[in-house]
Amino acid sequence: MTVQGSTPVARKKIAGHVGFSNLPNQIRRKSVKDGFQLTVMVVGESGLGKTTLVNTLFNSQICAPREVPHPAADRPTTVAIENIQADIEENGVRLRLTVVDTPGFGDFVNNSTSWNPILESIEQRYEAYLQQEHRVRRTKLVDNRIHACVYFIQPTGHSLKQIDIEFMRRLHHRVNLIPVIAKADTMSEEEILDFKERILSDLAFHGIQIFQAPVYEDEDEESIQEAEEIARAIPFAIVGSENFVRTRDGRMVRGRAYPWGVVEVDNPEHSDFGLLRKLLVRTNMEELREHTNNVLFEAWRTERLLAMGFTQDPSVFQEVSPADELHQQRELHEAKLAKMEAAMKEVFREKVEIQEQKLKQSEVELYARHKEIKDALDKQREDLLRKRAQLEAGGSPDASRKKPFNFRG
Ligand SMILES: Nc1nc2c(ncn2[C@@H]2O[C@H](COP(=O)(O)OP(=O)(O)OP(=O)(O)O)[C@@H](O)[C@H]2O)c(=O)[nH]1
Ligand SMILES: [Mg+2]
């Protein structure tokens, strides 16, 4: 059965019970309709076992069986970035798992730009998602973004190599980084523990952030234990194998046979492979998806829009409580009322002033008229008084000319 480019449904449990059908109900209900979808990328130096891990993850039955090459023949190397996809179904719940296999670097003398195709691929996927978001009809978004990047570290037992540091420094703010120690079967248990510590301190020293598997205290005992186990084991010590071998006690297991015994892929005592698989498809699947969408993609989008000359108004993202909004609206309304009142008062004052002016004017006119009449009356009175005085003085020169009172003729 081949999977490259196609999406066969493997209606079998991969290496026993994976457990995504046991996810909390709330998450399940949300995802059950369309199924879960997760995209994982494997990155690292050439020959560290990326392709082998992908095949181990999907189980050899899902992937195309590889021809066993002659020991003298060249090892097959991955030449292009390729998707391997499978729908896994468990108790009626679907998981569409896509693993992106990348060609290893380290083959070239100059590795300084070897991260470019990887970064480009990650950003192109963001770009494709952004374009869909910008469409008017956004009913069905196809999410091909990388939710997790499994980074392979050579089992040197020393510290991280310069190329690892350079690579992870460029990747960590674009993708959830999950560092793994490749071919852990080549190291002893103590060496692995020691190497894990050294890797973590190197990463911290260089400020490289890897995916932090959270432990939620309010979950049941078993889940907390599992989450703690996963968080403690990072960077995972990985053993991959597509082959089944017979153990000394006669079991057929996926593993690697050595003269001294068999290293079993699915045995937690031998390899952290099981924990890596649990982290990806069960315990932290939702966190990987959420962190990719809410943090990494958002940061990329902001950088992208800024580069295009858009600035974002941060106030549009501020949450407004309805009470605050009501309060603000009331204040605005009150300010508007006060302004209207002030304008009305002004109009009123102007009208009053005009009326007062008019009144004053007519008062002046009235006074002038009053004075005129008074003057005329005063004059008349004076005349009369003068005439009376003349009459009283008698013998007035014109008194004889005055007609008697009852003169009729
Ligand atoms: N000892 C050991 N060998 C492994 C392991 N995984 C893979 N190998 C062997 O390492 C060789 C390279 O494995 P690949 O999976 O082709 O490596 P790759 O990382 O895909 O390499 P490129 O495609 O060139 O980047 C093969 O011979 C595998 O059998 C492992 O966990 N332990
Ligand atoms: Mg490969």
Side-chain angles (χ1 to χ4, degrees):
M1 191 196 318
T2 177
V3 291
Q4 293 178 7
S6 61
T7 59
V9 178
R11 286 178 204 278
K12 71 178 289 297
K13 294 179 181 177
I14 55 168
H17 184 64
V18 175
F20 55 85
S21 64
N22 284 351
L23 280 167
N25 279 338
Q26 207 187 349
I27 302 175
R28 253 186 80 187
R29 268 200 302 277
K30 205 171 74 183
S31 312
V32 128
K33 213 173 105 240
D34 303 324
F36 297 98
Q37 194 268 330
L38 191 80
T39 308
V40 181
M41 185 182 238
V42 291
V43 174
E45 270 185 80
S46 190
L48 288 186
K50 297 180 296 296
T51 304
T52 308
L53 177 81
V54 174
N55 291 343
T56 313
L57 199 62
F58 280 114
N59 206 348
S60 31
Q61 276 92 338
I62 297 179
C63 277
R66 276 163 55 157
E67 287 159 25
V68 180
H70 187 269
D74 279 346
R75 176 180 61 76
T77 55
T78 317
V79 287
I81 293 178
E82 59 185 342
N83 286 349
I84 298 139
Q85 202 173 58
D87 285 354
I88 308 162
E89 201 173 291
E90 189 185 351
N91 297 348
V93 183
R94 274 182 158 220
L95 168 68
R96 170 157 294 184
L97 180 62
T98 307
V99 179
V100 181
D101 194 5
T102 64
F105 53 89
D107 294 340
F108 316 106
V109 180
N110 183 3
N111 277 314
S112 61
T113 53
S114 48
W115 42 77
N116 272 351
I118 306 288
L119 255 184
E120 267 169 25
S121 172
I122 290 171
E123 291 185 349
Q124 266 166 18
R125 288 155 188 269
Y126 281 160
E127 183 71 48
Y129 195 80
L130 184 69
Q131 293 306 326
Q132 291 180 71
E133 279 195 334
H134 284 180
R135 280 206 312 252
V136 181
R137 285 172 59 84
R138 294 191 272 175
T139 38
K140 195 101 181 128
L141 296 190
V142 180
D143 185 5
N144 282 328
R145 295 172 297 180
I146 305 288
H147 300 111
C149 174
V150 178
Y151 187 88
F152 282 67
I153 297 164
Q154 200 185 339
T156 58
H158 304 302
S159 50
L160 285 180
K161 294 199 286 185
Q162 196 57 32
I163 182 97
D164 295 328
I165 292 159
E166 291 294 331
F167 219 113
M168 285 195 264
R169 230 202 328 241
R170 280 167 176 79
L171 287 177
H172 76 127
H173 56 273
R174 286 282 178 260
V175 72
N176 284 311
L177 262 187
I178 302 171
V180 299
I181 300 169
K183 302 186 178 179
D185 51 321
T186 59
M187 294 173 88
S188 76
E189 216 173 312
E190 294 91 79
E191 282 171 334
I192 285 174
L193 287 178
D194 210 39
F195 194 35
K196 280 188 177 184
E197 238 170 69
R198 230 173 276 185
I199 290 170
L200 288 179
S201 70
D202 269 6
L203 289 172
F205 179 79
H206 291 284
I208 294 165
Q209 282 185 8
I210 57 171
F211 176 68
Q212 300 291 323
V215 178
Y216 298 114
E217 296 300 333
D218 55 351
E219 292 200 334
D220 60 277
E221 192 89 351
E222 204 186 332
S223 306
I224 293 176
Q225 250 178 25
E226 189 178 285
E228 276 175 350
E229 201 186 352
I230 288 173
R232 234 190 349 255
I234 296 175
F236 300 116
I238 296 296
V239 180
S241 172
E242 298 150 45
N243 304 322
F244 280 78
V245 288
R246 190 175 293 280
T247 60
R248 287 213 175 128
D249 53 11
R251 288 174 296 128
M252 281 303 280
V253 295
R254 293 197 300 174
R256 309 190 80 86
Y258 286 96
W260 40 263
V262 166
V263 180
E264 299 171 34
V265 169
D266 296 298
N267 186 338
E269 304 269 306
H270 298 187
S271 158
D272 294 335
F273 170 76
L275 291 177
L276 172 67
R277 190 182 57 197
K278 266 189 201 163
L279 180 150
L280 293 176
V281 301
R282 173 174 171 172
T283 321
N284 298 109
M285 185 171 67
E286 276 302 303
E287 272 109 21
L288 289 169
R289 286 154 46 97
E290 268 176 31
H291 193 252
T292 302
N293 186 57
N294 302 348
V295 180
L296 301 164
F297 176 65
E298 276 312 314
W300 172 84
R301 188 220 303 261
T302 307
E303 274 178 41
R304 165 91 207 295
L305 295 182
L306 280 176
M308 281 168 66
F310 287 110
T311 46
Q312 196 160 270
D313 176 8
S315 65
V316 298
F317 297 113
Q318 271 171 15
E319 275 187 35
V320 182
S321 81
D324 284 354
E325 202 169 14
L326 209 66
H327 184 71
Q328 272 179 6
Q329 275 178 2
R330 184 179 299 152
E331 274 183 354
L332 276 176
H333 186 66
E334 276 168 7
K336 202 169 144 190
L337 277 181
K339 208 172 151 191
M340 273 166 70
E341 199 180 315
M344 274 163 74
K345 272 187 182 159
E346 181 61 24
V347 170
F348 184 70
R349 194 191 57 77
E350 270 173 18
K351 284 198 171 157
V352 168
E353 210 165 75
I354 290 167
Q355 284 302 327
E356 272 179 351
Q357 206 77 36
K358 276 187 185 165
L359 275 173
K360 258 187 202 153
Q361 183 71 27
S362 45
E363 199 179 16
V364 168
E365 279 168 11
L366 263 175
Y367 182 73
R369 177 116 181 83
H370 172 77
K371 195 167 177 294
E372 208 175 282
I373 293 169
K374 192 173 169 270
D375 285 353
L377 282 173
D378 280 351
K379 198 167 169 282
Q380 239 176 348
R381 189 167 159 262
E382 252 169 51
D383 278 351
L384 283 172
L385 280 174
R386 193 162 34 83
K387 278 181 186 161
R388 192 173 108 180
Q390 277 174 1
L391 279 175
E392 275 172 0
S396 130
D398 357 339
S400 55
R401 271 195 274 159
K402 230 183 171 182
K403 286 182 178 138
F405 234 24
N406 290 320
F407 179 71
R408 292 176 201 266

